[in-house]
């Protein structure tokens, strides 16, 4: 800042080291104090909590904002998001905290994490208290626990998330999430999914709002128009992120796991690369995915349309289940294998491991069905060639 040099500074003096003006920092501090005061006045009284009312039990997560703890409040298990105010942070944690509280206190929906209250008095103890969701994040379930989900469970999770996003987008003052990914989808023990983490969210005041923050959220799930640093984008950016989450739920794989997040976002934005379609995806699901992550935002469906389509797909899959109730995999004649669709152009992606798993599981199921037809071990042996292959003798 030139104004910080002073009248007697020689611009050619090599000993001079440019330092930022303290005025900018003071302006930010003043603005943040105003934001906190406004929030204290506007937040309904029953949401005001004292941090010493919360008993901390254990740390269950962390991020750039601080840590998340499992705690106890008035006899109930809760989640406590403790902000760590950092004066050197490029993005104001206070601003993020105030925005998240102001959004959470307006939400009331079974598919969105429930807000209990916030501690606003001491900046060093800024905290957000929400319901505790015991099942953990979708990311943890898919990629850390590697839990196998049947097709109906996957569709139920997808429907829950779509219901939550549809609620956000159709409020009197619509909310754009801007950070929808598997880390921010939480599951109860009964596998009901909730949309969570509104630190990057904001109220959408106008469809022509061109004052959006550049590149908020996780790069791996980021819409191309957001990654390209466009300051005018809409709720359709959330639809793109949802499409990647839907693919992730169905495949059990991390989108572009072979790439770093920034490289994945760049490939999607500039090379129009999309994750590969598995042969286990129903054709209607493939079409829905390709629409959801369309490169033109206006061509993407809204969540009302997504809910209708997912409902039809779920009904079709439920009617296709085997009579024995096995719902691990559903195979039908209208499954798609699209390797050369326009949305798969760009950098090559490695084969989806889900392909191998699906084919192996299908073979095992068919082999098991075949062995049930055998009345004895001798009959079973007659069906094997010298190389161990099964020969259908019927």
């Amino acid at each position: 800042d030139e104004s910080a040099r002073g009248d007697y500074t020689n611009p050619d003096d090599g000993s001079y080291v440019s330092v930022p003006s303290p005025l900018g920092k003071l302006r930010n501090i003043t603005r943040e104090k105003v934001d906190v005061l406004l929030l204290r006045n506007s937040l309904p009284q029953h949401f005001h909590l004292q941090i010493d009312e919360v008993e901390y039990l254990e740390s269950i997560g962390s991020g750039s904002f601080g840590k998340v703890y499992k705690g106890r409040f008035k006899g109930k298990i809760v989640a406590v998001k403790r902000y760590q105010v950092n004066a050197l942070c490029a993005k104001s944690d206070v601003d993020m905290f105030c925005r998240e509280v102001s959004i959470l206190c307006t939400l009331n929906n079974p598919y969105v994490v429930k807000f209990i209250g916030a501690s606003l008095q001491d900046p060093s103890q800024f905290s957000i208290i929400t319901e505790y969701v015991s099942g953990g994040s979708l990311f943890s379930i898919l990629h850390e626990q590697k839990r196998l989900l049947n097709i109906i469970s996957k569709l139920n999770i997808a429907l829950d998330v779509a219901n939550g996003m549809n609620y956000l987008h159709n409020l009197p003052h619509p909310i754009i999430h801007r950070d929808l990914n598997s880390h921010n989808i939480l599951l109860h023990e009964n596998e009901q999914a909730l949309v969570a983490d509104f630190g990057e969210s904001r109220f959408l005041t106008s469809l022509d709002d061109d004052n959006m923050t550049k590149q908020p959220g996780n790069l791996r799930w980021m819409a191309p128009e957001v990654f390209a640093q466009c300051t005018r984008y809409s709720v359709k950016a959330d639809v793109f992120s949802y499409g990647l989450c839907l693919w992730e739920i169905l495949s059990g794989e991390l989108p572009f796991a072979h790439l770093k997040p920034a490289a994945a976002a760049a490939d999607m934005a500039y090379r129009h690369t999309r994750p590969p379609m598995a042969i286990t995806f129903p054709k209607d699901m493939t079409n829905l995915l390709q629409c959801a992550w369309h490169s033109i935002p206006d061509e993407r469906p809204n969540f009302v349309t997504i809910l209708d389509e997912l409902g039809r797909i779920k009904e079709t899959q439920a009617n296709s289940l085997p009579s024995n109730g096995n719902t691990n995999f559903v195979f039908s004649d209208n499954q798609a294998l699209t390797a050369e669709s326009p949305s798969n152009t760009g950098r090559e992606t490695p084969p989806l491991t889900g392909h191998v798993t699906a084919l192996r599981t299908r073979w095992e199921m068919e082999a098991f069905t075949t062995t049930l037809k055998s009345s004895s071990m001798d009959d079973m042996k007659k069906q094997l060639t010298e190389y161990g292959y099964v020969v259908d003798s019927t």
Side-chain angles (χ1 to χ4, degrees), residues 56-118:
Y56 289 88
L57 299 178
E58 59 179 305
S59 175
I60 56 175
S62 62
S64 59
F65 58 85
K67 289 187 176 183
V68 179
Y69 297 89
K70 180 181 179 181
R72 184 180 287 107
F73 174 72
K74 293 186 176 180
K76 294 183 179 180
I77 300 299
V78 297
V80 185
K81 186 175 184 179
R82 183 79 175 264
Y83 274 78
Q84 181 178 351
V85 180
N86 184 358
L88 299 178
C89 187
K91 189 170 186 176
S92 171
D93 289 331
V94 174
D95 179 62
M96 184 181 293
F97 171 78
C98 291
R99 186 190 302 129
E100 185 166 13
V101 173
S102 65
I103 287 175
L104 279 169
C105 71
T106 67
L107 305 180
N108 183 19
N109 185 269
Y111 302 105
V112 174
V113 69
K114 183 180 179 181
F115 178 62
I116 295 175

Side-chain angles (χ1 to χ4, degrees), residues 37 227 328:
L37 290 172
F227 181 76
N328 286 329

Side-chain angles (χ1 to χ4, degrees), residues 4 11 28 31 36 41 75 92 99 108 141 148 172 204 211 316 324 326 344 348 384:
N28 286 337
R31 181 176 56 81
V36 173
N41 291 330
S92 171
R99 186 190 302 129
N108 183 19
I141 288 170
L148 295 177
L204 194 65
N211 215 8
T316 301
N324 63 1
N326 190 325
N344 277 336
E348 264 188 44
L384 298 177

Side-chain angles (χ1 to χ4, degrees), residues 32 66 88-89 110 122 134 189-190 197 210 235 242 289 291 297 309 313 392:
E32 288 170 358
L88 299 178
C89 187
D122 184 352
S134 57
E189 291 293 344
N190 63 0
D197 198 338
D210 61 353
V235 293
Y242 175 82
L289 286 168
C291 291
E309 189 62 28
I313 293 172
D392 191 354

Side-chain angles (χ1 to χ4, degrees), residues 81-380:
K81 186 175 184 179
R82 183 79 175 264
Y83 274 78
Q84 181 178 351
V85 180
N86 184 358
L88 299 178
C89 187
K91 189 170 186 176
S92 171
D93 289 331
V94 174
D95 179 62
M96 184 181 293
F97 171 78
C98 291
R99 186 190 302 129
E100 185 166 13
V101 173
S102 65
I103 287 175
L104 279 169
C105 71
T106 67
L107 305 180
N108 183 19
N109 185 269
Y111 302 105
V112 174
V113 69
K114 183 180 179 181
F115 178 62
I116 295 175
S119 173
L120 306 175
Q121 298 306 312
D122 184 352
S124 67
Q125 295 184 341
F126 279 165
S127 304
I128 294 174
I129 295 87
T130 62
E131 65 175 309
Y132 175 70
V133 185
S134 57
S137 71
L138 179 63
F139 181 92
S140 173
I141 288 170
L142 293 178
H143 310 305
E144 296 172 351
Q145 302 176 33
K146 298 188 182 298
R147 188 186 304 176
L148 295 177
L149 301 171
N150 62 54
I151 186 64
I152 299 302
S153 293
K154 292 178 179 182
L155 290 173
N156 283 336
I157 292 171
L159 281 164
D160 289 347
V161 177
N163 271 304
M165 295 305 299
N166 184 55
Y167 166 75
L168 296 175
H169 288 182
N170 288 285
L171 288 168
H173 297 289
I175 293 170
I176 179 170
H177 191 283
R178 303 200 302 178
D179 194 21
L180 183 63
N181 61 70
S182 56
H183 294 280
N184 296 334
I185 297 170
L186 305 180
L187 273 73
H188 285 295
E189 291 293 344
N190 63 0
E191 293 183 352
Q192 180 189 350
L194 305 176
V195 178
D197 198 338
F198 293 86
E200 298 286 0
S201 303
R202 66 171 293 173
F203 290 105
L204 194 65
T205 56
S206 169
L207 294 177
D208 296 322
D209 198 340
D210 61 353
N211 215 8
M212 289 292 191
T213 307
K214 297 178 181 179
Q215 293 190 352
N218 193 305
L219 291 169
R220 189 177 296 280
W221 290 266
M222 185 174 288
E225 65 270 23
V226 182
F227 181 76
Q229 299 194 9
C230 172
T231 57
R232 176 178 291 182
Y233 51 88
S234 69
V235 293
K236 293 300 181 74
D238 284 344
V239 175
F240 185 96
S241 299
Y242 175 82
L244 292 175
C245 291
L246 178 57
W247 180 91
E248 187 178 359
I249 292 168
L250 295 169
S251 67
E253 307 289 333
L254 187 68
F256 302 104
H258 63 297
L259 297 176
K260 296 290 187 182
D267 262 19
M268 288 188 289
Y270 303 124
R271 300 169 68 95
H272 305 289
T273 308
R274 300 293 185 267
M277 298 295 181
I279 59 173
T280 53
F281 293 179
K283 184 178 180 180
D284 290 342
M285 184 65 77
T286 300
N287 294 336
L288 177 60
L289 286 168
Q290 290 176 340
C291 291
W293 59 40
H294 200 287
S295 58
I296 301 174
D298 288 341
E299 295 296 322
R300 300 170 197 158
N302 57 32
F303 278 102
V304 173
T305 303
I306 290 173
L307 284 166
D308 288 343
E309 189 62 28
L310 283 177
R312 283 193 291 270
I313 293 172
K314 180 184 174 181
E315 184 178 358
T316 301
Q317 292 294 303
N319 293 335
S320 303
L321 293 179
S323 58
N324 63 1
N326 190 325
T327 60
N328 286 329
F329 284 86
V330 176
F331 299 95
S332 60
D333 294 332
N334 61 349
Q335 287 167 345
L337 176 60
T338 55
E340 307 207 351
S341 63
S343 59
N344 277 336
T345 58
R347 183 183 303 188
E348 264 188 44
T349 54
L352 195 66
T353 57
H355 289 189
V356 179
T357 303
L359 289 172
R360 184 183 65 197
T361 304
R362 183 176 186 178
W363 179 87
E364 289 172 349
M365 290 172 63
E366 292 177 349
F368 179 71
T369 303
T370 302
T371 58
L372 290 178
K373 299 176 183 178
S374 302
S375 58
S376 67
M377 185 63 71
D378 290 336
D379 292 335
M380 192 182 302

